[in-house]
Amino acid sequence: MSLISRRKFVYASTLLGVGLKFISPSNIFASKNNSVIRPVVISTWDRDRKPNLKAWEILANGGNSLDAVEQGVRVAEDDPENNSVGYGGLPDENGIVTLDASIMDWKGRAGAVAFLQNIKNPISVARLVMEKTKHVMLAGEGAKRFALAYGFKEENLLTEKSRQAWIKWKESLSKEDNWIGNESHDTITMLAIDKDGNISGACTTSGLRWKIHGRVGDSPIIGAGLYVDNDVGAAGATGVGETIMRTLGSFLIVEKMREGMSPQEACEFAVKRLIEKNKNIIKEPYQAAFIALNKKGEIGAYAVRDGFDYVVSMNGETNGYKSKFEIKE
Ligand code: ASP
């Protein structure tokens, strides 16, 4: 099933019993009378609401936003059916699953891992980098050794389903293949504000499928795939990481919110900038999208093109929304 038809199927058969909502006016999430909404969780892609529900459960029980985002995205990492994150993620061109992840909290701390192999929960390794070391990012073999030292188990992350998909791609490989496609972007980026007004964010991915071995995307790059500044808000990304890295979209969104833009306005600004700065570089019909959250609990989302959706938990409800987008085709 193609990603697009699979997503329609997920829409039609969602088991979580929560209402589906479609493109909404951008101000639907603006707070009324300057009031503050807490807690709030927003995450990329409405493929499965369990990550949001996990984060919400933690926040509703008085937990903090850092635990909420870490535990929330771990649900996606553990899910073998999610082929863009953690276990079951589609491999690179050599059939090897390599993972990227980053995390930031309200204290301004950041941790990240890149090109990590055979460790199922990169987000928790990123959190340990943040909490246990003076560094921000560990990569490759060093990141794995660090994880093993903290008791993580080495395991095979390539599921049979992902291996079959890779074999099929190898069989149909052509000269036109360039590692950039418009499908298979299900990176989960999650942003949350807790009852105390503290904001954290997490981003985790197996990156672009069939990428060149060694390729690292935007997800572990602080400011590209994720950025949190507790004075202002947070932003996170999904899509072709190269376009996002060139414009440091998440950092840009937080800075625009600092200047007074709403999360929605800031996401739209960042998508327009991304399109402008990538126009002479990337010709394929790529996808990239941002989500954002501010101190008041207001949120925003915007994509380059149609097809991006996201999940929001607030006021005890978890709903999926179809994002607005820039390029109308
Ligand atoms: N942003 C991710 C990357 O480029 C891909 C995705 O969003 O699924 O690695």
Side-chain angles (χ1 to χ4, degrees):
M1 210 185 296
S2 76
L3 188 81
I4 291 165
S5 55
R6 179 171 62 74
R7 193 157 285 127
K8 279 190 186 137
F9 174 76
V10 172
Y11 266 117
S13 64
T14 182
L15 296 174
L16 289 164
V18 280
L20 288 172
K21 298 204 175 153
F22 296 95
I23 299 178
S24 48
S26 56
N27 62 359
I28 190 174
F29 297 117
S31 68
K32 305 265 180 324
N33 309 322
N34 240 2
S35 60
V36 169
I37 315 163
R38 288 177 193 162
V40 176
V41 183
I42 178 170
S43 67
T44 52
W45 301 112
D46 185 21
R47 67 171 304 285
D48 173 11
R49 297 175 191 172
K50 289 186 197 123
N52 259 61
L53 292 171
K54 180 72 196 169
W56 181 262
E57 183 190 312
I58 291 167
L59 295 173
N61 285 315
N64 68 51
S65 57
L66 180 60
D67 291 336
V69 295
E70 183 202 5
Q71 295 302 319
V73 303
R74 274 181 71 118
V75 173
E77 289 180 341
D78 289 342
D79 178 1
E81 293 302 317
N82 186 328
N83 65 17
S84 298
V85 179
Y87 179 55
L90 289 170
D92 63 17
E93 63 175 359
N94 295 348
I96 300 167
V97 180
T98 73
L99 305 175
D100 298 336
S102 62
I103 196 160
M104 275 191 91
D105 73 358
W106 64 90
K107 297 174 188 161
R109 299 184 302 172
V113 288
F115 194 51
L116 178 64
Q117 291 162 53
N118 299 103
I119 302 286
K120 201 184 201 174
N121 293 117
I123 199 65
S124 297
V125 186
R127 181 171 174 169
L128 281 173
V129 172
M130 177 175 89
E131 291 181 330
K132 304 284 185 196
T133 80
K134 290 183 176 153
H135 306 311
V136 168
M137 183 188 283
L138 296 180
E141 188 58 27
K144 182 158 89 183
R145 283 190 201 172
F146 173 79
L148 294 175
Y150 275 95
F152 285 76
K153 298 270 166 305
E154 203 164 350
E155 47 194 313
N156 175 26
L157 303 180
L158 186 67
T159 57
E160 184 53 22
K161 201 168 158 190
S162 291
R163 194 183 68 81
Q164 290 294 345
W166 171 67
I167 292 282
K168 204 164 155 214
W169 169 75
K170 290 280 277 184
E171 284 170 359
S172 59
L173 205 56
S174 86
K175 280 208 278 307
E176 274 72 55
D177 284 303
N178 62 358
W179 301 281
I180 301 268
N182 195 26
E183 291 198 7
S184 186
H185 310 300
D186 276 353
T187 291
I188 185 162
T189 299
M190 181 180 279
L191 313 172
I193 183 164
D194 60 30
K195 67 172 180 14
D196 299 320
N198 289 327
I199 300 175
S200 299
C203 178
T204 179
T205 190
S206 52
L208 296 184
R209 63 182 184 171
W210 329 143
K211 61 194 173 185
I212 297 174
H213 186 63
R215 180 264 188 191
V216 170
D218 60 304
S219 306
I221 309 297
I222 300 298
L226 179 72
Y227 198 69
V228 176
D229 183 328
N230 204 48
D231 294 337
V232 178
T238 180
V240 175
E242 286 70 8
T243 66
I244 299 160
M245 282 190 274
R246 285 186 198 111
T247 50
L248 279 187
S250 295
F251 181 72
L252 180 62
I253 289 169
V254 172
E255 290 311 298
K256 285 291 156 189
M257 292 195 293
R258 195 191 307 277
E259 288 170 12
M261 280 190 187
S262 70
Q264 184 62 35
E265 288 166 342
C267 286
E268 293 182 15
F269 184 92
V271 165
K272 287 178 183 146
R273 169 75 63 82
L274 180 147
I275 292 169
E276 172 62 25
K277 294 295 173 189
N278 283 285
K279 74 174 188 292
N280 298 324
I281 302 169
I282 176 166
K283 305 284 174 229
E284 296 82 6
Y286 63 90
Q287 178 63 298
F290 295 104
I291 55 172
L293 167 71
N294 71 9
K295 271 306 251 193
K296 289 198 268 179
E298 297 172 326
I299 60 164
Y302 204 57
V304 169
R305 47 178 28 89
D306 195 10
F308 175 57
D309 43 31
Y310 57 101
V311 183
V312 180
S313 304
M314 59 166 68
N315 301 321
E317 270 188 49
T318 294
N319 288 306
Y321 296 88
K322 197 166 176 351
S323 173
K324 299 213 290 183
F325 52 93
E326 181 67 16
I327 299 177
K328 316 285 184 292
E329 284 152 324

